[in-house]
Amino acid sequence: MTLLHLFDLDGTLMYGSAAPVEISRQLGLSAEIAELERAFGAQEMGPHEFSVAAHAMWAGLTPAHVRAAFDGAPWLTGIREVWQEIRERGDYCAVVSLSPSFFVELLLEWGAQAAHGSVFPEVPFTRPVDAAGILTPEAKVTVADRLCAQFGVSRADCVAYADSATDAALFDAVSVSVAVNARPFLAGRATHVYEGRDLREAYQLVGAARPEVRAS
């Protein structure tokens, strides 16, 4: 059997930050995005409302800003090494995030075999956000199912890595889950819990139990 490793981005691959935060920092809009993040976390707005507001806030965004945000983000160490090992084992790795697709897809450069985010128009923006392209927590499971079909595996062969309540539905859907620097709500639902800044250590929690994972 083959495993599909599904990675959240914000707060999981990125320590203590999120793609919208790093993008906004490049535009001098840290206070503004902090308020949006607060409202989203308090469930005062959903993913679509958040995305529309962020899109409007980022009217001056350029590809150079996006690249600077990506390069300067506080990534966990060992991401590329983990993904290389996953591929060498014959397994698959994918990123599924509510963050903008134009940022999430940059992780393909690091070895992810698929990267799915909320679909935003190309940067610089000349078109509005299409509500149909914005991912929700439940849509992450739909994307995971599509990836299972693409890679020829089932939910029982999936391992999810994430940090927040928006990933609870995904954790409930897959066989094995790793809470990475997670909030207590998600940590309590996880197969494994990791606190730290090295993805290799989080991945080893699954690797140590690999025979049990494959038998599930």
Side-chain angles (χ1 to χ4, degrees), residues 36 116 118 160:
L36 284 188
H116 292 268
S118 292

Side-chain angles (χ1 to χ4, degrees), residues 22-135:
E22 298 302 317
I23 292 165
S24 299
R25 181 175 291 124
Q26 296 298 320
L27 296 169
L29 297 169
S30 293
E32 290 83 351
I33 197 64
E35 174 55 25
L36 284 188
E37 291 277 349
R38 183 207 62 76
F40 181 74
Q43 299 184 329
E44 295 171 9
M45 60 169 53
H48 179 244
E49 292 82 6
F50 180 95
S51 297
V52 168
H55 174 273
M57 183 188 304
W58 297 335
L61 190 65
T62 67
H65 289 129
V66 176
R67 174 55 65 177
F70 184 87
D71 291 345
W75 299 105
L76 266 61
T77 58
I79 294 174
R80 280 173 275 201
E81 291 84 350
V82 167
W83 291 352
Q84 180 178 347
E85 181 172 339
I86 288 171
R87 296 194 312 273
E88 288 175 351
R89 283 180 176 267
D91 293 337
Y92 300 102
C93 54
V95 181
V96 184
S97 171
L98 301 186
S99 278
S101 51
F102 60 78
F103 190 97
V104 178
E105 290 167 3
L106 292 177
L107 286 166
L108 294 170
E109 300 173 3
W110 287 8
Q113 289 155 296
H116 292 268
S118 292
V119 179
F120 270 60
E122 298 80 6
V123 177
F125 300 139
T126 58
R127 295 181 290 111
V129 173
D130 182 356
I134 303 304
L135 292 188

Side-chain angles (χ1 to χ4, degrees), residues 127-194:
R127 295 181 290 111
V129 173
D130 182 356
I134 303 304
L135 292 188
T136 64
E138 295 73 24
K140 279 193 165 189
V141 179
T142 302
V143 172
D145 285 339
R146 290 205 304 264
L147 290 169
C148 284
Q150 176 182 339
F151 293 122
V153 301
S154 71
R155 289 185 181 183
D157 307 312
C158 290
V159 182
Y161 305 74
D163 77 306
S164 71
T166 59
D167 293 285
L170 183 60
F171 270 31
D172 289 345
V174 304
S175 174
V176 174
S177 54
V178 183
V180 179
N181 298 316
R183 293 162 180 81
F185 174 80
L186 195 70
R189 308 169 81 95
T191 311
H192 306 285
V193 176
Y194 174 71

